[in-house]
Amino acid sequence: MSEALPRPTVLVVEDDAFTRHAAVAMVEDAGYAVREASNGNEAIRLLDREVGIRAVVTDIDMPFGIDGIKLAACIHRRWPEIGIVITSGKVRPKDGDVPAQGRFVRKPYTEEQVIGAIRAVLAGR
């Protein structure tokens, strides 16, 4: 009797509900387990209490003081084993904004682009 391997868990962080739900569906359709957060503060609280999140997909432009760049830096510092994918349709990250081994995907993105970036950061871990 073989046991199924657990699916890697991806945290989607996006303040726009429509975009977040679409991204969650994309990630689930690709076979990953998904958690979601509507801002950086919520994401950090979730990461503090949940074990097993392997990758984070975050928008840059978010409210409440912790944008996607600050969130990525915090994750890279506190949870270096978590892969990071940063997205934005407005802001282009500067050199050093995307942590080593992280990826940037410009919005609007395709399913292939975001899932490819998730696979890349998971493979780099």
Side-chain angles (χ1 to χ4, degrees), residues 75-116:
I75 291 168
H76 184 66
R77 187 174 57 256
R78 291 181 61 188
W79 300 280
E81 71 282 4
I82 294 177
I84 300 167
V85 177
I86 297 175
T87 69
S88 181
K90 299 175 187 172
V91 180
R92 187 119 180 116
K94 296 187 238 48
D95 288 343
D97 283 349
V98 179
Q101 308 301 314
R103 297 286 186 271
F104 172 71
V105 179
R106 187 138 189 86
K107 287 180 178 178
Y109 48 71
T110 65
E111 185 171 346
E112 287 177 1
Q113 290 171 315
V114 78
I115 299 306

Side-chain angles (χ1 to χ4, degrees), residues 2 7 12 28 38 42 48 52 63 68 77 106 115 122:
S2 69
R7 299 180 302 162
V12 174
E28 284 178 335
S38 62
E42 188 179 326
D48 273 337
R77 187 174 57 256
R106 187 138 189 86
I115 299 306
L122 289 174

Side-chain angles (χ1 to χ4, degrees), residues 38-89:
S38 62
N39 61 64
N41 293 320
E42 188 179 326
I44 290 169
R45 283 193 299 273
L46 199 144
L47 288 164
D48 273 337
R49 73 175 182 263
E50 284 202 33
V51 178
I53 293 173
R54 303 264 323 280
V56 174
V57 177
T58 182
D59 185 29
I60 289 177
D61 189 22
M62 289 188 297
F64 306 120
I66 300 180
D67 65 15
I69 300 295
K70 290 177 185 171
L71 177 61
C74 177
I75 291 168
H76 184 66
R77 187 174 57 256
R78 291 181 61 188
W79 300 280
E81 71 282 4
I82 294 177
I84 300 167
V85 177
I86 297 175
T87 69
S88 181

